[in-house]
Amino acid sequence: MIPNSAYLHILTNHVPVIGTGIVLFVLLYGVVRRSDEIKKLALILMLLTSLVTIVVFNSGEKSGQIVEGISGVNEDMISPHQEFADLSYKAAMVVGIISLVLLIVYRKNHLPVYIVIIFFLLAAGVNGMMAWTSHLGGKINHLEIMGESPLVKPK
């Protein structure tokens, strides 16, 4: 069975948030250990996370069309989620490209401290954007995020 776009979106949509978070921890670990290899691993992980983000983004629009009209889906949140996802996607692609460029330029050289600091700030920004995108996406079909639940009686 070939999964539809909604299934693919649900299957992959946590990778950008968790992946960028892991990038930040690995980069900090590389700084603490004073290891260029570990810092470059963070760049590789960012590049891989950006590649998965392409799948998440491209499955998102069709996913929105699939869930429209389904009971319990908050259709009013689809557009805000899609609009912010577009910004987050673009930011992730820029940082992914920066990762690739840094890996090529510094493949045999030490990563300067200022580059590591700038990259950390960019990756942290993308992580925050991905977290907000996920929050907006969760509001489409997760009642518990909106303070509602079919399992809990209202007070």
Side-chain angles (χ1 to χ4, degrees):
M1 179 180 118
I2 298 173
N4 65 25
S5 292
Y7 180 79
L8 187 59
H9 192 68
I10 291 168
L11 186 67
T12 59
N13 69 12
H14 294 86
V15 173
V17 180
I18 295 168
T20 54
I22 291 170
V23 165
L24 295 173
F25 283 113
V26 170
L27 192 58
L28 283 176
Y29 184 68
V31 168
V32 169
R33 294 296 308 249
R34 299 176 189 243
S35 169
D36 258 16
E37 290 80 15
I38 295 173
K39 293 174 200 171
K40 288 176 184 177
L41 173 62
L43 296 175
I44 292 167
L45 292 172
M46 187 67 212
L47 181 58
L48 293 173
T49 299
S50 296
L51 292 174
V52 175
T53 301
I54 294 170
V55 174
V56 176
F57 183 76
N58 286 320
S59 63
E61 189 168 339
K62 289 180 184 172
S63 180
Q65 294 168 356
I66 290 170
V67 300
E68 285 179 348
I70 294 175
S71 177
V73 169
N74 183 352
E75 293 182 24
D76 293 338
M77 290 308 301
I78 292 174
S79 183
H81 172 64
Q82 287 177 333
E83 290 169 11
F84 201 79
D86 185 54
L87 293 172
S88 299
Y89 171 74
K90 289 174 183 172
M93 293 304 101
V94 168
V95 176
I97 291 167
I98 290 170
S99 299
L100 180 61
V101 169
L102 291 174
L103 285 165
I104 293 168
V105 171
Y106 293 101
R107 71 182 170 274
K108 294 185 180 185
N109 298 323
H110 172 72
L111 282 164
V113 173
Y114 75 94
I115 294 287
V116 173
I117 291 169
I118 291 169
F119 182 79
F120 180 86
L121 294 173
L122 291 172
V126 170
N127 181 252
M129 291 177 78
M130 290 300 176
W132 186 249
T133 301
S134 293
H135 174 73
L136 293 174
K139 286 186 168 191
I140 293 171
N141 197 29
H142 289 283
L143 297 175
E144 67 277 11
I145 291 175
M146 296 174 282
E148 303 172 20
S149 176
L151 303 176
V152 178
K153 293 180 182 179
K155 295 179 182 180

